[in-house]
Amino acid sequence: MELNNIYYGDSIELIKSIPDESIHLILSDIPYGIGYEDWDVLHDNTNNAYLGSSPAQEKAGAIFKKRGKPLNGWSEEDRMIAKQYYDWVMSWASSWYKVLKPGASAFVFAGRRLAPRCVIAFEDCGFTFKDMIAWDKTRAPHRAQRISCVYERRNDSVSAEKWRGWKLGNLRPLFEPILWFQKPYPIGGTLADNIISNGVGAYNEAALLKYGISGDNIIRTRYESSDSGLHPTQKPLNLMKILIELTTLENQIVLDPFCGSGTTLLAAKELNRQYLGFEKEENYFSKAKERLAKSNISNMYFNFDYAENS
């Protein structure tokens, strides 16, 4: 498997070709398991209402067309979704652990509702849960329904007036959690020793300052015009650059096993990092490959440690 490439296929299988303890950072926007699209259904639930939608959702735009039922309206089978999401994360998290260098970080974008299951799965595979970074998106779509409108359609003016100003659904989701995991360094040594031997383990505060961010665990980035249109959950390029510069040096290797439209890979390329990406949806794989090919930056480095182990 050659560096500075994106590969088409299932990351659970593809990652087996990566040498153990050769990767300096894994940065990935994994599926959230909330039924966003068909590729985000990660359970055995055959309930045909799960990806259903109301007429109001159909009119609201693509992002809301396939929202499921209210959480308290789920059947017992629906309630197994969270457990099965944990099982799905467990099916690949141990492979991430194997390929990362001791002391290396893994950043995972995870949905707010199932993020706790992701944390537990990673811990059960040996990772240390280092921190949760709040990504302040500065914008977010919001379609919480006014309950008064429901009662008005029922011609129940008394209830409509009583509950005016109340809504159904969630607050505007202006932040997303970025889960920060770390592979433990060898027992008996120190983190300072590990940084010398493996080149990872510390974080670069100066990198945050360069992007106008203090050393806090809240990152505020805004979307640029180029940060949308390729994938329904596409993340800002600068956000990925911040996380890469926070934890790696030039020429180190960044892996994204669920790379979608390739934002992580493009960020790594523009920062003179080596990169590897996996994507099993052919449409997004093609977009990522084309996006990387259009970048006029070429990686001028080669990591000999990786080559010797491959």
Side-chain angles (χ1 to χ4, degrees), residues 171-243:
L171 299 173
R172 187 180 299 278
L174 280 178
F175 94 94
E176 286 192 30
I178 305 172
L179 309 178
W180 187 356
F181 301 100
Q182 188 172 38
K183 181 174 178 175
Y185 53 88
I187 296 175
T190 67
L191 186 53
D193 294 333
N194 184 79
I195 292 167
I196 292 173
S197 57
N198 288 300
V200 288
Y203 72 88
N204 184 4
E205 186 178 38
L208 292 178
L209 297 175
K210 185 177 78 172
Y211 289 94
I213 302 170
S214 62
D216 302 329
N217 61 357
I218 298 176
I219 296 178
R220 294 179 177 87
T221 58
R222 63 180 58 190
Y223 282 89
E224 305 295 336
S225 58
S226 58
D227 289 328
S228 60
L230 297 174
H231 193 283
T233 63
Q234 188 174 338
K235 299 298 185 288
L237 182 64
N238 272 345
L239 176 60
M240 299 314 204
K241 285 184 175 182
I242 290 168
L243 298 173

